[in-house]
């Protein structure tokens, strides 16, 4: 049997230029894993990027925007909340370390985990940046973003000057 007859890429016996003979198999396997794991909340270690998504509730009211975020295991000092123009950014660092030791059983265990919560929210109105407030209690962050005062929308006369 000729080696040429085993080649799956046409009669020439060689793969097309740039073709990956295992590309279709890899694509099918990746699609299978995506289908099986769809909807699972995998820990950050499995996602590989170290970013965690906090659960967030957002409500828009006549006064502004109310945001509630669950940040379990986070200390208030590790939360960074900022407003840049009309984008609210929530960033928090999660660091945990657990150490166990049992000299009778001769084991010593140290576990560390680290991750970053990061979410950005586009504010659908002009916020009153100086009046934004936030509180943090028992792992729940509450943020209030009030609307900027409406500008005077009355008609006004605009003077026309001479061109320079």
């Amino acid at each position: 049997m000729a080696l040429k007859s085993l080649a799956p890429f046409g009669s020439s016996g060689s793969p097309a230029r740039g073709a990956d003979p295992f590309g279709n198999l890899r694509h099918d396997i990746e699609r299978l894993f995506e289908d099986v794991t769809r909807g699972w909340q995998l820990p950050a270690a499995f996602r590989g990027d170290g970013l965690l998504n906090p659960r967030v509730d957002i409500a828009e009211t006549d006064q502004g925007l109310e945001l509630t975020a669950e940040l379990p295991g986070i200390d208030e000092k590790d939360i960074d909340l900022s407003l840049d123009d009309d984008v609210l950014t929530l960033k928090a660092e999660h660091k945990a370390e657990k150490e166990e030791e049992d000299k009778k059983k001769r084991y010593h265990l140290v576990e560390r985990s680290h991750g970053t919560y990061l979410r950005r929210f586009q504010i659908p109105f002009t916020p009153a940046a100086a009046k934004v407030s936030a509180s943090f209690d028992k792992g729940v962050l509450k943020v209030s973003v009030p609307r900027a005062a409406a500008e005077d929308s009355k008609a006004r006369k605009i003077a026309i000057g001479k061109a320079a």
Side-chain angles (χ1 to χ4, degrees), residues 96-113:
E97 185 171 319
K98 176 183 170 185
E99 187 170 339
E100 292 181 23
E101 185 174 8
D102 188 345
K103 294 189 183 216
K104 293 179 182 178
K105 293 183 181 178
R106 293 188 192 190
Y107 77 86
H108 185 85
L109 172 71
V110 177
E111 292 181 343
R112 292 180 185 92
S113 66

Side-chain angles (χ1 to χ4, degrees), residues 28-95:
D28 289 344
I29 291 173
E30 287 174 357
R31 193 180 71 224
L32 174 68
F33 277 106
E34 287 174 8
D35 290 346
V36 169
T37 60
R38 186 173 293 128
W40 290 4
Q41 283 286 39
L42 298 176
F46 292 111
R47 289 196 310 253
D49 59 3
L51 290 177
L52 306 168
N53 286 325
R55 296 193 185 274
V56 176
D57 294 330
I58 301 174
E60 186 175 357
T61 65
D62 291 338
Q63 291 77 32
L65 189 101
E66 296 173 356
L67 179 138
T68 304
E70 295 178 8
L71 300 170
I74 302 292
D75 290 332
E76 185 176 344
K77 64 179 175 49
D78 295 328
I79 299 173
D80 181 26
L81 190 62
S82 63
L83 180 65
D84 185 18
D85 290 329
D86 58 350
V87 176
L88 180 67
T89 301
L90 166 61
K91 183 177 180 183
E93 295 288 326
H94 173 69
K95 298 175 187 173

Side-chain angles (χ1 to χ4, degrees), residues 82-86 88 123 125-134 143-149:
S82 63
L83 180 65
D84 185 18
D85 290 329
D86 58 350
L88 180 67
I123 307 296
F125 52 82
T126 303
K131 296 181 180 179
V132 174
S133 63
V143 182
S144 176
V145 182
R147 295 176 189 270

